[in-house]
Amino acid sequence: MAGLYSSSRPTSSSSSSLSSPSSSSFQTFASRLLLLLTVLPLTLAAFAFVLQWRGGLNDPVTRWSPDHHDFPGMVQMGEVQRQALRSSGSDCVDILGRSHSPAFPYYKDWKFDYASDLRPKISIQTSTSAGLEQTLPWIFYHKVIGVSNFFLFVEGKAASPKVSKVLETIPGVKVIYRTRELEEQQAKSRIWNETWLSSFFYKPCNYELFVKQSLNMEMAIVMAREAGMDWIIHLDTDELIYPAGTHEYSLRQLLSDVPGNVDMVIFPNYESSVERDDIKEPFSEVSMFKKNYDHLPKDVYFGNYKEATRGNPNYFLTYGNGKSAARIQDHLRPNGAHRWHNYMKTPNEIKLDEAAILHYTYPKFSDLTSRRDRCGCKPTKDDVKRCFMLEFDRAAFIIASTATEEEMLNWYRERIVWTDKELNLKLLRKGILTRIYAPMVIVQGLRESGVFSSVIASAAQTNLTKDQFLSSVESSNSSRESTSGAINSRKIGKLLDSQATARRVLEFIDDASHPLAIPPLSPPGLDEDDFQIDVQLSSKSQ
């Protein structure tokens, strides 16, 4: 029995011998799998290192279509451009220079030269004397949201060779200089024979600017039509369009959704509320804005009016009646810098419920002195009324003309800078103030990706002939009588007698039937009726 049992039960050695082939196979498989799992990540890491070291492969995301067309306007920066950028002594290269760590690399070297088949085609017209540090972010931000063409009527710093040469290299940008020929051409405008703008003629400073803007807008309509534009917008270079209410943050989408029977779209304006007195780049540093009356319930607006005003003459520091976009069509004309009109009909207009114009109002302390330097009025309460249409502009001019640097800074902090965090939070909760980050993110992304410095570098390669031409333009600009940088409507008025035979009054136009030009208007104030509403609301809240 024992022997039988012993013979039938395998010993440990015999058991190991029987299971050896299977165990060996498993161990081999496991070792190979372990080796594969070890080698594969190392191989991928090495491959990624090689790609990074050599500059990487073409990212399919950076291609416009399967046909491998680049994004509109994307041109790679060559070595010549890089050398020009390094050798350039312009201050703008430092201000607008790119970061070593781009926030959005797909912006790099874009010029946003949109294809002609993208609709609707939108144009912006402006009259400016600003430098590149303000104009380049302004242009490319609006290119990002869908604007294709810009008509820049330049003078002052904007017309200098270093600045205008850069502007002329940007696709879709047309630069118009204030030359003697331009002034003579505008002296023949039919506007001088009509009454809708006549109350602004032959007055200094802001009134002259308003006339100049209207004359430039009239010429821009013709240019926009010749360029095949569908819409035109007048905008200052301290204003950005905020296309809220669209899924794609797109002005093109916003205007494409406008019904075909609408002639004009009104954008209510928001006003910047700076939180520091050392802002250098408003488009990149300001995120808090005060909402327009049109985008607030009346009880909220009037119920918080006094706190929101903070002792200033009005709810907004400057204008509150927004800007507008007009559909290009026959008989279109400006109606002042804020609206458009039509000689043959009353335009059908709509006002947007979400989109707005972001107005960066006095965002830098230096804006106080810049306004002072542009106007030659006396700093008295009576004389400033001849120069400025709005109360706050008058007060700012007086303080900048009479106070010391320290007094100006204290005044600026008290009237413009929002330093009371508790008040800010309260008005943010009420909806009076709002945070808007999209423009800041876009402009910062453009700057860090090298878009602005790339444009400056490209302009450095232009030939001498253009430099000579721009120098002659600057010489023409310097020969103007006005030193303020604004068109002198009184000077143009002197040309009227000599040009009278070249202009004819169109007798079939009933001028009295057309509204007067709409000036910059303050938001609604607290009149007696509104004050009663305010008192009632305040008592209820208590």
Side-chain angles (χ1 to χ4, degrees):
M1 294 276 308
L4 180 62
Y5 179 80
S6 299
S7 64
S8 64
R9 182 180 179 182
T11 64
S12 61
S13 61
S14 64
S15 175
S16 173
S17 175
L18 290 172
S19 62
S20 176
S22 174
S23 175
S24 176
S25 175
F26 175 78
Q27 291 177 356
T28 302
F29 174 76
S31 62
R32 289 178 179 177
L33 180 61
L34 181 62
L35 178 64
L36 178 63
L37 293 176
T38 303
V39 172
L40 182 60
L42 292 176
T43 304
L44 292 176
F47 183 64
F49 175 78
V50 171
L51 286 180
Q52 183 178 11
W53 177 62
R54 297 189 61 184
L57 297 176
N58 289 330
D59 187 346
V61 176
T62 64
R63 298 300 175 183
W64 183 248
S65 71
D67 297 329
H68 302 294
H69 297 302
D70 287 340
F71 272 116
M74 178 176 279
V75 181
Q76 293 298 326
M77 181 186 286
E79 184 60 30
V80 176
Q81 289 176 292
R82 294 188 182 93
Q83 292 177 358
L85 182 59
R86 287 193 292 267
S87 62
S88 175
S90 172
D91 294 337
C92 296
V93 174
D94 296 330
I95 297 174
L96 300 169
R98 61 183 175 186
S99 167
H100 294 292
S101 56
F104 193 177
Y106 297 121
Y107 277 145
K108 182 181 177 182
D109 298 327
W110 283 18
K111 293 183 180 178
F112 301 92
D113 188 13
Y114 291 118
S116 59
D117 59 340
L118 295 178
R119 295 287 177 177
K121 294 184 73 65
I122 305 166
S123 61
I124 289 180
Q125 180 274 330
T126 192
S127 303
T128 184
S129 59
L132 291 178
E133 71 281 355
Q134 179 172 328
T135 309
L136 286 184
W138 180 84
I139 289 174
F140 280 93
Y141 168 84
H142 287 107
K143 279 180 172 286
V144 168
I145 66 172
V147 177
S148 58
N149 287 57
F150 299 80
F151 304 106
L152 309 183
F153 288 76
V154 298
E155 49 193 291
K157 187 176 181 180
S160 65
K162 288 184 178 180
V163 175
S164 57
K165 182 168 66 174
V166 174
L167 297 176
E168 286 194 332
T169 64
I170 304 173
V173 173
K174 181 176 179 61
V175 181
I176 303 97
Y177 301 93
R178 181 143 300 282
T179 60
R180 188 181 305 277
E181 291 75 17
L182 178 66
E183 291 183 350
E184 290 177 351
Q185 184 178 358
Q186 290 187 339
K188 301 175 184 178
S189 169
R190 63 186 293 174
I191 288 177
W192 296 99
N193 287 322
E194 299 163 355
T195 61
W196 57 271
L197 191 62
S198 59
S199 61
F200 298 90
F201 292 163
Y202 319 124
K203 294 180 180 180
C205 204
N206 272 18
Y207 292 89
E208 289 181 2
L209 174 63
F210 197 73
V211 173
K212 176 198 70 175
Q213 289 173 328
S214 299
L215 293 169
N216 291 345
M217 289 166 69
E218 182 186 49
M219 297 187 73
I221 292 172
V222 178
M223 297 175 185
R225 190 159 196 169
E226 291 176 349
M229 297 292 105
D230 300 302
W231 292 88
I232 186 169
I233 305 169
H234 167 76
L235 211 63
D236 296 325
T237 52
D238 62 351
E239 299 170 326
L240 299 179
I241 298 175
Y242 174 53
T246 61
H247 296 295
E248 302 171 3
Y249 199 79
S250 167
L251 180 63
R252 180 178 288 115
Q253 180 189 346
L254 185 71
L255 293 180
S256 66
D257 293 338
V258 173
N261 65 333
V262 173
D263 304 305
M264 187 167 65
V265 175
I266 298 173
F267 293 80
N269 63 293
Y270 291 5
E271 192 171 78
S272 62
S273 300
V274 298
E275 299 169 83
R276 308 193 324 267
D277 60 15
D278 60 349
I279 298 292
K280 302 299 181 184
E281 299 170 358
F283 296 154
S284 298
E285 299 180 55
V286 178
S287 65
M288 191 166 74
F289 296 86
K290 188 186 292 186
K291 282 189 175 182
N292 193 285
Y293 167 81
D294 289 321
H295 284 181
L296 289 170
K298 287 186 178 181
D299 59 338
V300 173
Y301 177 82
F302 290 114
N304 298 275
Y305 183 91
K306 291 183 178 179
E307 286 185 298
T309 302
R310 300 192 311 151
N312 288 317
N314 202 272
Y315 174 79
F316 275 167
L317 301 182
T318 58
Y319 79 90
N321 53 329
K323 292 289 181 74
S324 60
R327 197 185 296 275
I328 300 294
Q329 55 186 287
D330 293 340
H331 312 295
L332 181 66
R333 72 158 171 85
N335 197 36
H338 295 258
R339 294 291 188 272
W340 306 86
H341 197 65
N342 193 296
Y343 279 113
M344 303 305 294
K345 67 176 182 179
T346 299
N348 180 24
E349 64 181 47
I350 61 172
K351 185 173 292 184
L352 298 174
D353 294 329
E354 296 181 79
I357 298 294
L358 303 180
H359 185 200
Y360 293 76
T361 313
Y362 291 94
K364 298 184 292 185
F365 175 63
S366 60
D367 290 335
L368 284 180
T369 54
S370 65
R371 286 178 180 265
R372 175 196 65 194
D373 297 338
R374 288 201 301 264
C375 292
C377 296
K378 297 178 181 179
T380 63
K381 291 184 178 180
D382 291 332
D383 202 55
V384 293
K385 293 180 180 179
R386 299 187 307 110
C387 298
F388 301 97
M389 304 178 198
L390 299 172
E391 284 291 335
F392 188 86
D393 288 334
R394 297 169 184 172
F397 180 82
I398 292 175
I399 198 72
S401 303
T402 59
T404 64
E405 188 80 7
E406 183 178 357
E407 289 171 337
M408 278 194 293
L409 183 57
N410 290 335
W411 188 90
Y412 182 81
R413 289 170 177 166
E414 179 184 351
R415 299 302 182 102
I416 297 175
V417 183
W418 291 70
T419 56
D420 188 338
K421 294 184 178 181
E422 291 186 5
L423 176 61
N424 296 352
L425 182 58
K426 176 182 177 180
L427 295 181
L428 282 166
R429 289 172 175 171
K430 293 281 189 178
I432 297 288
L433 297 177
T434 185
R435 292 285 183 183
I436 299 176
Y437 295 102
M440 174 190 292
V441 172
I442 290 174
V443 172
Q444 286 177 346
L446 289 166
R447 177 177 288 106
E448 293 176 1
S449 299
V451 172
F452 307 140
S453 45
S454 175
V455 172
I456 295 171
S458 298
Q461 301 178 64
T462 55
N463 55 37
L464 184 61
T465 303
K466 179 175 285 189
D467 289 340
Q468 293 173 337
F469 168 73
L470 291 171
S471 296
S472 67
V473 169
E474 184 181 38
S475 176
S476 174
N477 287 341
S478 64
S479 66
R480 294 169 49 230
E481 294 179 7
S482 174
T483 59
S484 65
I487 184 175
N488 191 331
S489 60
R490 288 164 291 179
K491 175 184 174 183
I492 288 186
K494 295 177 182 178
L495 298 173
L496 296 180
D497 292 338
S498 62
Q499 302 290 347
T501 56
R503 295 180 285 108
R504 297 180 180 178
V505 178
L506 301 181
E507 297 179 354
F508 65 88
I509 296 294
D510 180 11
D511 190 59
S513 66
H514 293 280
L516 299 179
I518 298 177
L521 299 174
S522 296
L526 281 178
D527 56 28
E528 293 184 2
D529 294 336
D530 294 332
F531 183 74
Q532 293 298 326
I533 295 176
D534 179 39
V535 171
Q536 294 173 7
L537 291 171
S538 298
S539 61
K540 289 181 180 179
S541 63
Q542 294 175 356

